[in-house]
Amino acid sequence: GDEARVGTIPHEWLCRASGEPLPQTFESIRYIGFNDEYYGIQNILVPIGGVGKESVTFAVENEKVFRILIPQHSLDIDLELYEVDKDGTTRPVASSANERTEESIVSLLKAKQNYQLDFNFHGNALTGNKCEFFLMEVSFKRPEHV
């Protein structure tokens, strides 16, 4: 939308050297779509304005230990993990709502279950041309590999 643009240039393109947009899913080849396990650290762009909610959806074929860590940041970023049923009903699984400290969730994910991970941004208004980012560490491991 318009809020994701700086002038006529999309925010994620303008700031690509600082970080990447939050993925829409963890099921891509970059994450668990390649070999069913993943560990990585990356810079993720903060939405323009630093306020709002973005979600990442995913499902796991086999039981997994999921871990996400966002180190302390000047912006308050709260995490909420939900199970999502086929009819769209959500159930809370875990959350991290610490004010301006590190945020983390560790959870055992059920096989063949859909999930939604919400990133809630509670920040100060950032200027539209500032390429603000946060560090995100994500891991999906089979329980026997933890």
Side-chain angles (χ1 to χ4, degrees):
D2 291 334
E3 65 278 0
R5 293 184 161 290
V6 178
T8 59
I9 302 171
H11 180 241
E12 59 272 1
W13 187 87
L14 182 68
C15 297
R16 69 187 182 282
S18 299
E20 303 172 46
L22 195 63
Q24 294 181 347
T25 183
F26 287 133
E27 292 180 64
S28 68
I29 195 164
R30 177 173 188 166
Y31 298 98
I32 57 175
F34 179 66
N35 72 354
D36 204 34
E37 287 194 326
Y38 173 79
Y39 171 80
I41 300 173
Q42 64 189 114
N43 291 333
I44 301 293
L45 290 173
V46 171
I48 291 177
V51 178
K53 179 176 93 170
E54 292 192 14
S55 300
V56 178
T57 58
F58 60 96
V60 291
E61 280 298 310
N62 304 302
E63 189 176 65
K64 294 276 180 281
V65 176
F66 169 71
R67 183 174 76 90
I68 183 168
L69 170 73
I70 298 174
Q72 186 172 358
H73 191 279
S74 61
L75 184 70
D76 184 19
I77 306 169
D78 295 333
L79 303 171
E80 296 174 331
L81 179 65
Y82 298 92
E83 289 181 351
V84 181
D85 291 337
K86 291 185 190 322
D87 66 1
T89 304
T90 60
R91 283 183 305 286
V93 174
S95 71
S96 176
N98 300 312
E99 188 169 329
R100 301 202 193 281
T101 62
E102 75 177 25
E103 306 286 345
S104 72
I105 289 176
V106 177
S107 185
L108 183 62
L109 304 180
K110 299 175 187 173
K112 310 254 189 258
Q113 177 65 54
N114 292 318
Y115 290 92
Q116 176 177 310
L117 178 62
D118 289 346
F119 291 73
N120 296 294
F121 298 93
H122 311 282
N124 48 3
L126 303 174
T127 59
N129 60 2
K130 188 172 181 182
C131 298
E132 185 79 24
F133 67 89
F134 63 93
L135 196 64
M136 178 178 77
E137 181 177 3
V138 176
S139 173
F140 289 89
K141 296 288 181 186
R142 291 189 283 275
E144 63 271 17
H145 292 170
V146 174

